[in-house]
Amino acid sequence: MLFRPAPFVSKRRALAEQQSGLVRLLAFARSRARLIVADRPATTFADVAGVDEAKEELAEVVDFLKRPQKYSALGARMPKGLLMVGPPGTGKTLLARAVAGEAGVPFLSISGSEFVEMFVGVGAARVRDLFEQAKRNSPCIVFVDEIDAVGRHRGGSLGSGNDEREQTLNQILVEMDGFDTHTNVIVIAATNRPDVLDKALLRPGRFDRQVMLGLPDQKGRLAILQVHARGKPLAEEVDLDTVARQTPGFSGADLENLLNEAALLAARRDAFTVGRQDLAEAIDRVIAGPRRKSHIISVRERTITAYHEAGHALVAHALPHVDPVAKISIVSRGATGGYTRVLPTEDRNLFTRSEFKDNLAWALGGHAAEQRVFGEMSTGASNDIQRATQLARRMVTVYGMSERLGPVALAGSEESPYPAEYGEQREYSNEIAYLVDQEVRALLEEASQRAQAVLSERQAALTQIAELLIAQETLEGGQLQALLGDKGRPLPLAEAG
Ligand code: ADP
Ligand code: MG
Ligand code: ZN
């Protein structure tokens, strides 16, 4: 529940506004937009479930807000800005409020999208007001929701530049740059479009820390359902575990909505408890809702993704030069359908040719599994193929790892002053270019065959892992090791989509 007091208007500004009719019009526009909202949230970390990593990252921020002296005595500078990134309804606002709640400090918030419709100059003035108020209330949190609305990279569209947006963004940056070690204000911004953000926002001393929030997996969904089932009497027969299993692709907001719909349905029946049927019907309603349609992952897609990731994991596990698999998931994150992550056991700067070759094979493991099981390929492997191709090309042109070409650097060095857009700075003949292509192709072909070979020896394990993934969506490294046995020697941090 949000407590929303009247918008804050500073005295100086209030006086100024009385001075003319035009200013009164602006004041009207402002009050309508209710830009700044301030309160002291009662929300705590206990209200946010399934995002343990994010909470861990934010624990330090909470500690800082509680005891800023401890940090300033040590000369430590806390981050000024923190960017929460995640799809809608994954708890960005909730978590920002929980940070304030945990620390017991005021929470001032403002939404980027509301600036866009304002008169020129008003947005920047509002930002000044906001930060004035924040400094008076420090330590505190300033929350800028939907920062992408004002923080899109500048100068994108010539001529049609949105002055208001730019001025607002500039003012936010000016304010943050003006913080000193005693300001004790932390700005948390939220976005689901990190790709469009102006790079200036992400520079050190601005929003240089990011907290990623994804759609919850089955365990996460259960935890979120448990949070929102508080205060809703459930019938004996209800098993939230089953509900969690039936709701892949649901965000935290969808789950909250689901329990609320179920309670409404129970009330309509004049029942005293929420029954299994209410929940089943509520799931259908939420799925049919306008917001959800695009998210629903078909059974077919889940199956393909599960085999794809199982393929990566199996090949990674089987090859000696790949780190142990830490986690496999078919919960989508942004554009990718799932991911397989391996854990490095040490920092590495040097890589051998055999290590690269194992990495290529592992990267193509998903593609190989799809081919093997479905007899065809999906677009899900395109990112893997792109990355493998880049690595193979570097092996040939930068690291001199091709026998046919020998130890010669063919690409401009990696720190070439010419970015790719200026056209490749090629300093070799067409014949050599042809050879490079052939060598890259050969490396990829070999890697693909090695992946195929691993999978053909382990068909049963492939099916078993894929089915486990379909059932529980994520597998921890320990579970995989339990199934396949320990793996030999390890290597560098990597993740395959
Ligand atoms: P976002 O800001 O990412 O769009 P919100 O924080 O506004 O998402 O989430 C909307 C509502 O959904 C929250 O108020 C809460 O009821 C529910 N919710 C979302 N994520 C979670 C979560 N991780 N744990 C518990 N509830 C959640
Ligand atoms: Mg939000
Ligand atoms: Zn992949």
Side-chain angles (χ1 to χ4, degrees), residues 58-301:
L58 292 167
E60 191 190 9
V61 175
V62 170
D63 191 51
F64 169 77
L65 289 167
K66 273 185 179 161
R67 294 178 296 168
Q69 322 79 285
K70 171 178 135 187
Y71 292 83
S72 60
L74 289 165
R77 188 180 57 76
M78 278 303 290
K80 294 175 183 177
L82 214 145
L83 190 63
M84 300 242 192
V85 180
T90 49
K92 298 183 292 297
T93 307
L94 185 69
L95 201 50
R97 292 180 61 78
V99 170
E102 288 281 335
V105 302
F107 181 84
L108 285 70
S109 81
I110 189 169
S111 171
S113 65
E114 289 172 341
F115 284 118
V116 180
E117 31 179 273
M118 306 220 62
F119 298 100
V120 173
V122 176
R126 263 295 130 121
V127 169
R128 273 197 301 278
D129 275 355
L130 172 72
F131 280 90
E132 255 174 47
Q133 196 186 352
K135 284 175 203 159
R136 262 184 280 120
N137 284 290
S138 103
C140 69
I141 285 192
V142 168
F143 181 64
V144 186
D145 206 356
E146 302 178 78
I147 192 156
D148 44 283
V150 291
R152 273 165 195 271
H153 65 87
R154 287 166 283 193
S157 44
L158 264 180
S160 68
N162 184 333
D163 285 348
E164 183 54 24
R165 224 182 56 190
E166 284 197 12
Q167 288 189 20
T168 304
L169 172 62
N170 285 338
Q171 193 60 39
I172 292 175
L173 297 178
V174 164
E175 295 287 347
M176 288 181 74
D177 290 345
F179 283 9
D180 60 32
T181 33
H182 304 292
T183 308
N184 299 337
V185 173
I186 290 183
V187 187
I188 301 182
T191 183
N192 54 7
R193 293 295 312 275
D195 52 312
V196 302
L197 288 185
D198 195 313
K199 293 282 172 291
L201 278 167
L202 309 176
R203 285 210 198 107
R206 292 175 176 169
F207 296 96
D208 51 0
R209 285 213 196 168
Q210 300 201 3
V211 175
M212 309 292 275
L213 296 174
L215 289 174
D217 65 4
Q218 191 179 310
K219 244 170 56 190
R221 293 198 298 272
L222 177 61
I224 294 171
L225 286 166
Q226 281 162 344
V227 165
H228 291 287
R230 282 188 222 146
K232 294 190 178 68
L234 302 179
E236 194 89 9
E237 62 185 17
V238 168
D239 177 18
L240 288 181
D241 218 359
T242 312
V243 179
R245 211 166 309 131
Q246 291 167 335
T247 45
F250 276 46
S251 67
D254 293 327
L255 294 168
E256 193 268 340
N257 186 14
L258 155 66
L259 284 177
N260 189 53
E261 285 284 336
L264 288 173
L265 288 167
R268 191 167 306 162
R269 293 191 293 118
D270 287 327
F272 295 107
T273 56
V274 178
R276 196 192 295 158
Q277 190 49 42
D278 300 321
L279 284 160
E281 205 175 321
I283 292 177
D284 291 343
R285 285 187 177 208
V286 177
I287 289 177
R291 243 169 50 71
R292 295 259 340 123
K293 278 204 182 100
S294 60
H295 279 303
I296 291 303
I297 309 159
S298 73
V299 173
R300 185 181 141 73
E301 239 171 75

Side-chain angles (χ1 to χ4, degrees), residues 13 16-28 30:
R13 212 150 268 294
E17 279 169 7
Q18 286 165 4
Q19 287 165 2
S20 81
L22 175 67
V23 177
R24 222 175 298 138
L25 184 69
L26 290 181
F28 169 73
R30 281 188 202 177

